[in-house]
């Protein structure tokens, strides 16, 4: 039971404080034949620190400062500064902002620099390339927006056509969202000969080989107009977890394609997936490495890949680990390795488990498996660090380790660092205290936490602005000075 609870807590690490995280969705539209973009910023509230308040501690407000730079040929041609506010909240809830910018046709670089006002060291940066197309001369489709919900609104700064469109952040359709909204616009269809234009929306699912298979289609006609705003919905109740492609086609009266637009999204549907996985094993799976494992071995092997499963499969893995159904466990495990190595999944499994068992042994702490400890998880996710320092003899701090990765391709980051410390002074239970890796735990008070362990008396408790005094072996500050 303890092992199961430990895994569940790991799989839902998203609720822990981590680096500032935003979903930035950019869509091009036209108004009076001139192009403009909508920038929809969805802020993950759990990654923003609350502002200090002398009032009701059950009410919190979060704010993010945003600077946007528009660049052409390396020069800044335009900028904008604004603040995204959560408002006063009693419950943690993500918050959004919507900005619109008119742009001339051409290529741009948009740089986003976002910072947590309560903690300026907590930042998010991104850079996006834009290619703004020229003025409209023929029937055209806009980009596609994936919609979670619509709310009537007359606030013109947020709404369009009398509605505020709540977009789906990160292109991730979670398990609670059983319908997917689609918003797009068409232009200049009144230049076509027929009275009505034909539209076709297709949704296809990506398989393990990277190919897409059609699973849903919606065909309809609409009267031709100079500009038309279109919203339609798809029932996603029975969509399996995975990656999907949405394509929209604009056609003339005889179904010749005039223009098209496409986007991608990820769906999570663990209930549907478990039902499918619980069916009988096919011969390929039964005769593979997965078909020969006992239930205990299956559970061990599944826990060893927990940190690597796709976001859309996290809830599913939680479900099948709690369920004694070995068919679902076997099918899930085989599919995971089949996607990693379509030709030799058995060999991939053997090689991976050799690493997992070694990490389990090296980082075991008495709570869960070694690959479920903080050091074990990081090792399994990113591999062996390029360099590390281990400090045991700093009299002012708990024992600690700093891991350095020169480059982590999956994060598109270099000079990535992780600070682990041993708060219980037992020599084995090292906790991740601070990191500059995207999506990992961050702690702006890591210095205070690291150096207060050896000084537990109230008079020695470090203040919020705690600074490490200079002296022997205080390397953590040097190794993490760029955070």
């Amino acid at each position: 039971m303890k092992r199961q609870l430990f895994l569940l807590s790991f799989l839902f690490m998203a609720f822990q404080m981590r680096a500032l995280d935003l979903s930035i969705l950019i869509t091009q539209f036209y108004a009076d034949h001139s192009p403009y973009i909508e920038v929809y910023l969805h802020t993950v509230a759990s990654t923003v620190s609350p502002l200090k308040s002398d009032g009701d501690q059950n009410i919190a407000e979060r704010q993010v400062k945003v600077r946007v730079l528009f660049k052409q040929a390396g020069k800044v041609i335009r900028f904008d500064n604004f603040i995204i506010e959560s408002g006063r909240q009693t419950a943690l809830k993500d918050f959004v902002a919507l900005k619109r910018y008119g742009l001339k046709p051409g290529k741009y670089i948009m740089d986003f620099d976002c910072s947590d006002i309560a903690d300026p060291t907590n930042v998010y940066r991104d850079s996006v390339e834009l290619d703004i197309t020229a003025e409209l001369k023929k029937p055209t489709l806009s980009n596609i927006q994936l919609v979670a919900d619509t709310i009537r609104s007359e606030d013109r700064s947020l709404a369009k056509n009398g509605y505020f469109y709540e977009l789906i952040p990160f292109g991730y359709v979670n398990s609670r969202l059983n319908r997917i909204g689609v918003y797009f616009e068409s232009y200049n269809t009144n230049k076509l000969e027929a009275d009505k234009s034909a539209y076709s929306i297709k949704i296809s699912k990506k398989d393990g080989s990277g190919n897409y298979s059609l699973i849903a289609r919606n065909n309809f006609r609409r009267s031709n107009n100079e500009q038309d705003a279109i919203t339609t919905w798809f029932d996603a109740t029975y969509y399996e977890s995975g990656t999907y492609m949405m394509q929209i086609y604009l056609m003339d009266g005889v179904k010749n394609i005039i223009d098209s637009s496409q986007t991608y999204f990820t769906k999570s549907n663990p209930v549907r997936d478990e039902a499918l996985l619980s069916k009988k094993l096919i011969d390929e799976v039964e005769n593979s490495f997965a078909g020969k494992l006992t239930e205990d071995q299956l559970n061990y092997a599944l826990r060893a890949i927990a940190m690597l499963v796709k976001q859309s499969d996290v809830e599913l893995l939680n479900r099948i680990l709690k369920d004694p159904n070995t068919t679902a466990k076997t099918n899930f495990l085989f599919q995971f390795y089949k996607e990693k190595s379509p030709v030799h999944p058995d060999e991939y499994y053997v090689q991976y488990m050799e690493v997992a068992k070694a990490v389990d042994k090296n980082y075991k702490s008495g709570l869960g498996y070694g690959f479920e400890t903080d050091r074990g998880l990081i090792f399994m996710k990113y591999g062996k660090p390029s360099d590390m320092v281990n400090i045991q003899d700093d009299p002012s701090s708990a024992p600690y380790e700093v891991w350095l990765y020169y480059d982590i391709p999956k994060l598109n980051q270099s000079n990535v660092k992780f600070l682990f410390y041993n708060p219980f002074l037992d020599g084995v239970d090292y906790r991740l205290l601070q990191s500059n890796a995207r999506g990992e735990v961050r702690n702006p008070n890591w210095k205070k936490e690291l150096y207060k362990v050896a000084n537990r008396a109230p008079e020695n408790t470090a203040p919020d602005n705690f600074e490490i005094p200079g002296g022997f072996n205080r390397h953590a500050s040097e190794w993490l000075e760029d955070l």
Side-chain angles (χ1 to χ4, degrees), residues 48-62:
V48 185
S49 302
L51 298 173
K52 291 184 178 180
S53 173
D54 296 329
D56 189 344
Q57 297 303 308
N58 294 319
I59 300 177
E61 184 174 5
R62 292 168 170 81

Side-chain angles (χ1 to χ4, degrees), residues 20-136:
L20 179 61
D21 199 9
L22 288 87
S23 169
I24 301 176
L25 304 173
I26 302 174
T27 315
Q28 181 182 338
F29 295 110
Y30 292 88
D32 298 326
H33 297 275
S34 297
Y36 74 94
I37 60 170
E38 280 191 358
V39 181
Y40 184 91
L41 302 101
H42 178 111
T43 305
V44 180
S46 61
T47 67
V48 185
S49 302
L51 298 173
K52 291 184 178 180
S53 173
D54 296 329
D56 189 344
Q57 297 303 308
N58 294 319
I59 300 177
E61 184 174 5
R62 292 168 170 81
Q63 295 181 345
V64 175
K65 182 179 179 180
V66 181
R67 182 184 65 179
V68 183
L69 301 180
F70 295 83
K71 297 179 180 178
Q72 282 188 312
K75 296 182 179 179
V76 176
I77 63 166
R78 183 176 177 180
F79 69 92
D80 192 13
N81 294 299
F82 56 92
I83 293 175
I84 310 175
E85 299 178 318
S86 69
R88 292 169 61 81
Q89 298 178 334
T90 55
L92 198 63
K93 184 179 180 181
D94 293 356
F95 49 103
V96 303
L98 178 66
K99 293 289 182 177
R100 297 185 177 99
Y101 303 97
L103 295 173
K104 295 180 179 179
K107 295 183 182 295
Y108 298 82
I109 298 291
M110 283 186 73
D111 288 341
F112 294 87
D113 192 340
C114 312
S115 60
D116 181 348
I117 289 183
D119 174 17
T121 67
N122 186 17
V123 299
Y124 174 91
R125 297 184 177 93
D126 199 2
S127 186
V128 180
E129 295 183 7
L130 296 180
D131 188 358
I132 303 301
T133 53
E135 293 183 4
L136 295 170

